[in-house]
Every structure is written in C-alpha cells, then in structure tokens.
Amino acid sequence: MSKTSLSIQKDTQKTIIYLGGHWDFRTDIEHLNQLKTALKNSHLPLGIDFSDVTHIDFVFSCFLIDIFRNYSLNVEFINISDKIQRILGTIRSYVPKENAEYKQTKKFGNIFEKIGRWVESFFQKTLDFFNFMGITLYFFGQTLIHPSRIRIAPLVYHISESGFKALPVSILTAFIVGAAITLQGAMQLQSMGVPLVSIEITAKLSLREMGPFILALVIAGRSASSFTAQIGAMQITEEMDAMKTMSFTPFEFLVIPRVLALMIIMPLLVFLADIFALFGGMLAIKYQLGIGFAQYIERFYETVSWTHFWIGMIKAPFFGGAIAMVGCFRGFEVKGNTESVGIKTTVSVVNALFWIIFINAIFSVIWTKLGI
C-alpha cells in the first residue's frame, strides 16, 4: 500500500492541497484531521490535487463530501482521474442538499433530541442510584448480621472527620438561623397581640425542622463533596482497581463506614443543633419581647412536648444515610481526569440537597397523616 501523504501550498490567490498515496478507511486519524483543518480554515479559493493519489474508497469519499457540505466549500479538483471523479460525483449526487425547511426541522429535531437524551440520562442515573442504594443496604444488612465485618478504624475516622470537625460551623449555622427565624416570628406575633405564642411556635419549628434540616444542609455541603472527592481520587489513581484485584469489596471498605458514620453521628449533631437553635431563639425573644430566660423555659416546658424533639431525631439517621450514599455514588462515577472529580463533586452536593428536601417532605406528610 502506498504511503499516505498530504502537503499544502498557499499563495496570495489560492490554496492547493496535494494528496498522495492511499486514502481509504485505513487512513490514520492524524491525516484526516490535518486535511479537515486545512479545508475549513482556508480563506482563499481551494483546490485539491489528486495527481499522486493511487486509491480512494467509499468511506474517504463520504468523509470528503461531508466536509464540503458542512462548511459550504466550493473546491476545485485538479489532476483528478476519471475513476475518482465518478466516485465523488456519484456520492455527491446521492447526498441530499439541505434547504431552509429541512434546516428548521433539524433545529427543532435537535431540541427534542436533547430533551429526550436528558430524560433518558436522568432515568438511567436514577435507576443506577437505586441499584447502588440496594447494594449498600445489602452490605449494611450483612454488617448488622456479622458485626465483625465492620471496619472500626475507618468508621471512627469518618465520625471524627464528617461529624465532630463539622460541629463548629453546624452549631453556628443553627444558632444564627434559629435566632433569625424566631426574631421574625416574634415580630409578627407581637403585632397580632400574642407575643408569648412565638415561644412555642419557634421552639417546635426549631426541634422539628430547623435543627435537623439546617444541620443536614451543612453536612451535605461538607461531607457529600468530601466523599465524592475522596472516592473519585481513588478511581483516578486506580486504587479501586487494586482493591478489586486483591479481592477487597469497595462497598465494605469505602461505602459502609461512611454511611454508618453519618447515621451514627447525625442524631448527636442534631441534638446539639437543637440546643443552639433554641438558645438563639431565647436571645431573639429576649431582645424583641423582653421575655426573660426563666419565663421562656417555663413556657417552653408547658407547651412543647418531647414528641417534637423525637420527630427531629428520627429524621437525622435518614439524612445522614442519604448524604453518604449520594457522595459515594457520585465518587464511583468519576472517570478519566481530575476535571471529572470537580464535576461530580458539584453534582453530589446538589443531589444530596435534593434528597434531604425530599426526605424531609416525606416525613412531613407522614407526621401530618398520623396527626403528630
């Protein structure tokens, strides 16, 4: 087979591309890209010299005609044989020309195609996540049946990293949000002539919603991204493949410790967030209504039952489990390079926030139906 060659000659009036050798389906991509770049980037009249071409096939001819059509090129063929002329002419005659109506239809077709692809991708990702959740629950059940399989060291490490180290920002956020919401509620209820009601309303809101929900949002932003980045880095550095080669199960070593860690630590964090949210509310009530701490606590014990506290605590492990599973799932999706880590980290945070809101809404419906 003759060696493929390509050279370009430019002058002030014309650009001529000299082809040589065999141009067919076996032509390497480098030569094809070089030819495509030369054709589409030329601002002068174009000519292609076929004097040294020994053979072209149907695949290359389609490639060439497709470039002419896509970039609306008018190319002169120089020293072209009758055989090559017939091949290119036949293919050109069978390629339909795009008219305005066809382009408009194609434009709308592309829109619907993109929507369809997005729906299909969303559906497939949802199925993949539920499959991942099922595998996680299976290994979670195995660890409950066989507690010796729990990796204590990673579990304690993730409790510290994802729980205790997130405590300062978590309780500060709960304190600020608790104070702000209570202040707004107290102002509105004071204008209605029932200032004392603000104590029980804001306290119930802090225990049922603000404490666990605000805390979960903070942990989602911190821990979901962390889990995705950690596991994603292991994917890129092929540590995951090494684990599989040594017959270690990634779910047992990477996913379960993280899920268990957040499910264990979240109730404790919610308890502390509740305390600081209520404390922020006490300060806001003191500032806006002039009600002292003793009167606040007395009213609190009279009107707020333990049920509201346990409602928030019950949601905490579910929030923790969802955050950990989303973070790990997106970490396993990382492929290729470090750019993928950044993309999946962002996606994991958004997904974790969605699942927190969704779970919170489900519990709200359940408590409403039960009349709690």
Side-chain angles (χ1 to χ4, degrees):
M1 183 183 73
S2 301
K3 185 177 179 181
T4 303
S5 64
L6 183 150
S7 61
I8 302 172
Q9 179 180 335
K10 294 183 180 180
D11 55 32
T12 57
Q13 297 181 346
K14 196 171 189 178
T15 298
I16 299 178
I17 300 173
Y18 294 89
L19 302 181
H22 275 56
W23 288 82
D24 53 23
F25 69 94
R26 291 168 293 187
T27 303
D28 60 86
I29 191 67
E30 182 180 348
H31 280 93
L32 295 176
N33 286 337
Q34 188 178 358
L35 174 60
K36 182 177 180 180
T37 301
L39 287 170
K40 72 178 184 178
N41 291 340
S42 177
H43 302 293
L44 298 172
L46 279 167
I48 300 179
D49 192 313
F50 289 88
S51 57
D52 293 329
V53 174
T54 56
H55 172 72
I56 71 169
D57 67 352
F58 174 79
V59 175
F60 174 72
S61 301
C62 289
F63 170 78
L64 200 59
I65 297 299
D66 191 56
I67 294 175
F68 296 160
R69 188 187 68 175
N70 289 339
Y71 297 100
S72 302
L73 300 177
N74 185 17
V75 182
E76 178 188 358
F77 296 148
I78 304 171
N79 298 323
I80 187 170
S81 66
D82 291 340
K83 179 181 178 180
I84 297 176
Q85 180 75 51
R86 287 197 301 271
I87 293 173
L88 294 175
T90 302
I91 294 174
R92 192 193 292 270
S93 65
Y94 278 96
V95 175
K97 295 183 178 180
E98 294 183 343
N99 53 34
E101 182 180 354
Y102 176 76
K103 288 182 178 180
Q104 187 72 9
T105 305
K106 186 177 179 182
K107 182 195 298 184
F108 286 107
N110 286 340
I111 293 173
F112 289 117
E113 180 184 356
K114 288 179 181 178
I115 294 173
R117 289 183 182 277
W118 181 87
V119 171
E120 189 272 338
S121 176
F122 176 80
F123 180 72
Q124 187 60 51
K125 291 295 183 184
T126 303
L127 288 181
D128 291 343
F129 179 69
F130 282 120
N131 182 50
F132 182 88
M133 186 186 299
I135 298 173
T136 302
L137 291 176
Y138 169 77
F139 281 100
F140 183 78
Q142 291 295 312
T143 58
L144 295 180
I145 296 172
H146 307 286
S148 60
R149 298 174 65 172
I150 298 177
R151 308 293 165 178
I152 301 298
L155 177 62
V156 174
Y157 171 79
H158 289 299
I159 286 176
S160 174
E161 288 293 316
S162 302
F164 294 120
K165 289 190 177 181
L167 195 56
V169 66
S170 301
I171 60 177
L172 180 61
T173 304
F175 174 80
I176 294 172
V177 174
I181 297 296
T182 302
L183 183 61
Q184 293 298 317
M187 291 172 60
Q188 297 300 320
L189 293 169
Q190 186 181 25
S191 65
M192 297 170 62
V194 284
L196 286 178
V197 177
S198 62
I199 296 176
E200 57 198 77
I201 290 179
T202 55
K204 291 175 182 178
L205 182 62
S206 295
L207 294 174
R208 296 172 66 109
E209 298 294 337
M210 282 194 301
F213 185 70
I214 297 300
L215 174 72
L217 295 181
V218 174
I219 298 298
R222 190 181 186 279
S223 297
S225 58
S226 173
F227 292 167
T228 302
Q230 290 168 0
I231 295 177
M234 295 180 69
Q235 288 275 71
I236 293 175
T237 56
E238 299 181 353
E239 292 179 58
M240 206 74 68
D241 296 333
M243 290 182 64
K244 294 175 183 178
T245 302
M246 293 184 288
S247 299
F248 294 148
T249 307
F251 274 85
E252 194 170 310
F253 281 82
L254 301 177
V255 179
I256 297 303
R258 288 172 167 81
V259 173
L260 275 176
L262 281 188
M263 292 183 70
I264 291 170
I265 199 61
M266 279 295 286
L268 175 60
L269 296 178
V270 167
F271 175 73
L272 295 174
D274 287 344
I275 293 174
F276 279 87
L278 291 173
F279 181 62
M282 289 174 64
L283 293 178
I285 293 289
K286 174 71 173 176
Y287 169 78
Q288 180 64 28
L289 303 179
I291 297 175
F293 293 165
Q295 188 177 357
Y296 181 97
I297 295 173
E298 181 181 353
R299 178 76 179 181
F300 178 86
Y301 276 113
E302 288 177 357
T303 58
V304 181
S305 67
W306 280 96
T307 303
H308 305 292
F309 169 75
W310 289 115
I311 284 175
M313 295 297 288
I314 289 171
K315 293 190 287 187
F318 291 93
F319 288 156
I323 292 168
M325 280 192 281
V326 169
C328 294
F329 172 69
R330 293 302 179 182
F332 279 100
E333 282 192 324
V334 172
K335 295 289 187 297
N337 51 35
T338 53
E339 183 181 359
S340 178
V341 177
I343 293 172
K344 294 303 179 182
T345 299
T346 304
V347 172
S348 72
V349 174
V350 175
N351 291 163
L353 296 179
F354 166 79
W355 281 107
I356 290 168
I357 296 170
F358 180 76
I359 292 171
N360 194 61
I362 293 295
F363 273 107
S364 296
V365 172
I366 293 173
W367 304 140
T368 303
K369 291 294 184 180
L370 295 177
I372 301 177

